[in-house]
């Protein structure tokens, strides 16, 4: 429904979504990186701090063991014992015991402090029990002379100490529970002379060191791992102290790939590592005395999800902002489209109303924008349309009325002509009936006169009256035929005609015409002439006319009736050996009441109407009557008739050879819309033929015989098609054409110009003008009309 | 044969009267439609009618009326009207045949004999 609105909303949303997506992507990437970097830095610093604390503890123990190995009472004890001064040695021993007890009680960092002589025999042993330093009884003192660490310590230079790995406290080969992890620090005791006289050992309680290694948040893990991969803290309790507990729970085994760099590098971080892709790893080497072989790794992990948890809230903010923006965008699009589509809808409603004929529609849009301008333009257009429409309607009404009037007048004229012809015929024939009726009765029905004999002298005169009466009847018939042709009232009843039959009849009659002369009637036509499409009565009339003329002007020799098929036609010729016609007279030969020489009517008889009628009848059949003559040798009159199609003939052609068949005009062949046609043609037969053909095809024809009248009619009626003869009384066809083209209303009207042979040089090619060369057949006429109209449609369409 | 002839031209009527007398047909001639309708009650065997009566073409209506009343006897138009339309209208009104004036007497005789 509201397509513009949808499109605008879509556009707005897209416009907003694209930058939002880009910002979100870059923002989250940047924030992620920053978060990871921050976490990395912080964790590393934390690790370093922890490492420093651990090392502080270790350093403390180191300095404590060094201090204890250097106390004067220990040196004195060794020196005096070696010198055999037992008393002094006992005093020194007591001093060592006091120092050790004081130290153990105050520091509380070591669960054991012991002093051994150079054989490994414990001399003084302090134990921390329940937060108190207790001196071990002499009987419980042990000899550790065979312990590896003791032997190694004896070999150390002054100022050096030995640190044992972190171990669980053992008692008689059993691990003490709860586990008591300790680190043993040993230092040699030197005599005043600089010899090694014993060893001081402190067992540092590792719990305090290990407790430094702890995660900051619940998701973090903090491990302390020994150099052999033993978990010292941080791992699940069953994984700790693998070395002492003889298990295989090693860090290097749990994370074989990650541990390579974690165990070997001094310090580092790793994000999304191979074994642990979901954490940030931070590792720091912890260890004081690498030469003593102690090397721990402080390993810290932070969950990736914990690091990025803050980004989720950032994302939420972005989404909320984006959602609000989208909502605003949609609302803005709705508002904008509403402000556009509402007036557009109003305009559309008005346009629809106008298209349905309501020209009073006006749109009321008060808007200063382009929409307002559009609305104003729309109203102006509607106004103009309404005015044009009213004008157009008025003009259509006027033209329709004019056309109806012209048609009515033409119909009235036509009816008047018919009635006149009918009445004239009646009035001329009525008196003739008395002449012919009575004379024929007198001559042929003596019983009507009581068989009274008619004297021969009367009989001859009565015969003369009757023959002249019949001759007059012939003239009247000729004149009526001509009148009918001119009035367009002569109709051909065309059928498929077998010319042989017609010829036989004509020849039989013609023989009578020349019975008193030395003239031979010669038939010259094949038996298999194709049938022609013609009115048989009229064909007979034409040929008899020509034969009759020939017999009048031929005193000896022959009159030949010739016929042959040519090019879809049958040409029929009447050839005589008579006096011939002078060349100068040939052009007048078809004019009414003309014979070759003035005065010939006295010698030869006749009115000269026959040739005129024959010519008109041949034209109506779509042919032309042609004359050739040589004075003294004779004349040839010939004309053509169209061959009937097989369908028209109603049977297959007689000849086996395929015959060229021309389809004769049939109105239903040519179909197009009804057109108003103005026809200006002074030749009655042609006018009648054209009018009849057009009317049969369903057109309205207004026929005229005068050029000036035709021009006037063309400009007032504005017909769809105009057909003009070139030769017209008062204004000729070319002049009319020129004037019609000069008028914008008729400039494009299709026009057909009918030309005779000698008009050809005057014509030129123009738009919407077709030339019809006489003789015109109805078929040609309608084909040309269709061509013109289709050109017009093409021209309008393009 | 009883023939009724409606004809307002006295000369034409006389000619046919002579013909009828010579050929022993029983001919009644009237010169207007009113009389013709009265006379037609005598059941003629054949009716001859001139179409143009009293300067008007009353013959068509007359023939039509006879046919409407159920007259089945042959009716022949004897008229100087000759145009195809006129001929057609004669047949349309109900005429069986037409004799066009001017006629030779034997032409008329031939047509009458056809219905005798």
């Amino acid at each position: 429904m509201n397509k513009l609105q949808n499109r605008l909303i879509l556009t707005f949303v897209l416009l907003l979504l694209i930058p939002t997506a880009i910002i979100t992507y870059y923002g989250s990437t940047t924030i992620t990186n920053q978060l990871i970097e921050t976490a990395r830095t912080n964790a590393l610093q934390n690790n370093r701090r922890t490492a420093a604390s651990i090392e502080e503890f270790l350093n403390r123990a180191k300095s404590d063991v060094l201090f204890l190995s250097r106390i004067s009472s220990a040196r004195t004890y060794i020196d005096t014992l070696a010198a055999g001064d037992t008393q002094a040695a006992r005093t020194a021993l007591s001093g060592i015991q006091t120092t050790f007890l004081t130290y153990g009680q105050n520091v509380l960092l070591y669960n054991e402090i012991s002093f051994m002589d150079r054989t490994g025999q414990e001399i003084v042993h302090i134990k921390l029990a329940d937060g108190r330093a207790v001196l071990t009884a002499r009987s419980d003192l042990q000899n550790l002379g065979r312990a590896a660490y003791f032997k190694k310590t004896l070999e150390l230079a002054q100022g050096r100490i030995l640190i044992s790995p972190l171990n669980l406290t053992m008692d008689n080969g059993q691990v003490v529970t709860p586990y008591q992890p300790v680190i043993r620090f040993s230092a040699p005791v030197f005599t005043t002379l600089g010899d090694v006289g014993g060893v001081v050992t402190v067992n540092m309680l590792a719990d305090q060191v290990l407790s430094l290694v702890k995660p900051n948040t619940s998701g973090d893990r903090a491990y302390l791992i020994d150099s052999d991969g033993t978990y010292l803290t941080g791992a699940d309790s069953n994984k700790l102290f693998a070395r002492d507990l003889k298990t295989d729970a090693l860090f290097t085994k749990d994370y074989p790939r990650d541990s390579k760099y974690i165990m070997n590098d001094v310090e580092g971080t790793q994000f999304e590592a191979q074994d642990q892709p979901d954490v940030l790893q931070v590792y720091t080497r912890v260890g004081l005395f690498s030469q003593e072989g102690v090397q721990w790794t402080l390993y810290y992990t932070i969950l990736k999800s914990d690091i990025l948890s803050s980004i989720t809230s950032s994302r939420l903010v972005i989404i909320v902002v984006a959602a609000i923006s989208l909502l605003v965008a949609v609302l803005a699009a709705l508002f904008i489209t509403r402000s556009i589509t509402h007036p557009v809808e109003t305009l559309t409603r008005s346009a629809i109303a106008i298209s349905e004929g309501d020209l009073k529609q006006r749109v009321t849009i008060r808007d200063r924008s382009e929409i307002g301008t559009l609305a104003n333009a729309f109203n102006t257009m509607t106004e103009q349309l309404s005015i044009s429409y009213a004008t157009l309607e008025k003009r259509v009404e006027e033209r329709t009325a004019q056309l109806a009037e012209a048609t009515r007048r033409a119909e009235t004229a036509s009816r008047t002509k018919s009635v006149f012809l009918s009445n004239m015929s009646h009035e001329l024939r009525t008196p003739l009936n008395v002449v012919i009726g009575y004379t024929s009765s007198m001559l042929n029905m003596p019983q009507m006169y009581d068989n009274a004999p008619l004297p021969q002298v009367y009989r001859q005169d009565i015969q003369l009256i009757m023959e002249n009466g019949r001759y007059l009847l012939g003239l009247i018939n000729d004149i009526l035929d001509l009148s009918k042709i001119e009035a367009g009232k002569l109709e051909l009843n065309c059928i498929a005609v077998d010319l042989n039959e017609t010829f036989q009849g004509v020849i039989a009659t013609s023989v009578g015409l020349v019975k008193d002369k030395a003239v031979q009637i010669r038939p010259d036509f094949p038996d298999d002439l194709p049938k022609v499409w013609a009115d048989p009565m009229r064909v007979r009339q034409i040929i008899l006319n020509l034969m009759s003329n020939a017999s009048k002007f031929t005193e000896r020799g022959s009159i030949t009736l010739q016929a042959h098929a040519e090019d879809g036609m049958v040409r029929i010729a009447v050839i005589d050996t008579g006096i011939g016609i002078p060349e100068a007279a040939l052009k007048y030969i078809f004019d009414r009441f003309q014979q070759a020489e003035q005065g010939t009517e006295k010698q030869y008889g006749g009115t000269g109407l026959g040739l005129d009628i024959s010519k008109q009848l041949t034209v109506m059949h779509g042919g032309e009557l042609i004359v050739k003559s040589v004075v003294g040798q004779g004349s040839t009159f010939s004309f053509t008739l169209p061959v009937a199609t097989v369908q028209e003939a109603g049977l297959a052609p007689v000849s086996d050879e395929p015959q060229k068949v021309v389809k004769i005009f049939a109105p239903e062949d040519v179909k197009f819309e009804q057109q108003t046609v103005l026809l200006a043609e002074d030749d009655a037969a042609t006018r009648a033929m054209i009018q009849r053909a057009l009317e049969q095809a369903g057109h309205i024809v207004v026929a005229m015989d005068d050029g000036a009248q035709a021009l006037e009619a063309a400009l007032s009626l504005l017909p769809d098609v105009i057909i003009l003869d070139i030769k017209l009384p008062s204004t000729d066809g070319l002049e009319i054409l020129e004037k019609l083209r000069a008028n914008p209303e008729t400039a494009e009207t299709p026009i057909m110009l009918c030309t005779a042979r000698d008009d050809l040089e005057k014509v030129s090619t123009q738009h919407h003008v077709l030339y019809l060369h006489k003789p015109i057949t109805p078929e040609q006429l309608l084909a040309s009309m269709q061509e013109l109209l289709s050109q017009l449609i093409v021209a309008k369409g393009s | 044969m009883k023939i009724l002839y409606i004809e307002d031209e006295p000369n034409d009527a006389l000619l046919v009267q002579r013909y009828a007398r010579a050929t022993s047909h029983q001919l009644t001639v009237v010169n207007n439609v009113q009389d013709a309708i009265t006379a037609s009650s005598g059941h003629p065997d054949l009716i001859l009618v001139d179409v143009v009566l009293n300067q008007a073409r009353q013959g068509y209506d007359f023939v039509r009326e006879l046919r409407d009343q159920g007259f089945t006897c042959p009716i022949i138009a004897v008229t100087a009207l000759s145009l195809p339309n006129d001929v057609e209208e004669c047949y349309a009104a109900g005429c069986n045949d037409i004799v066009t004036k001017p006629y030779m007497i034997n032409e008329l005789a031939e047509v009458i004999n056809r219905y005798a």
Side-chain angles (χ1 to χ4, degrees), chain B residues 2 25 31-32 49 55 67 69 72-73 77-78 87 93 99 115:
Chain B
K2 281 201 300 191
H25 289 301
N31 67 358
N32 62 76
V49 59
Q55 310 288 320
R67 292 302 187 207
Q69 286 176 10
T72 53
C73 71
V78 183
V87 173
V99 175
Y115 296 95

Side-chain angles (χ1 to χ4, degrees), chain A residues 685-706:
Chain A
T686 310
R687 189 171 67 235
M689 185 275 292
I690 293 175
Q691 180 165 9
R692 200 161 37 89
L694 291 175
E695 282 176 350
Q696 279 178 8
H699 301 304
I700 299 167
V701 182
V702 179
M704 309 251 161
D705 57 5
D706 179 80

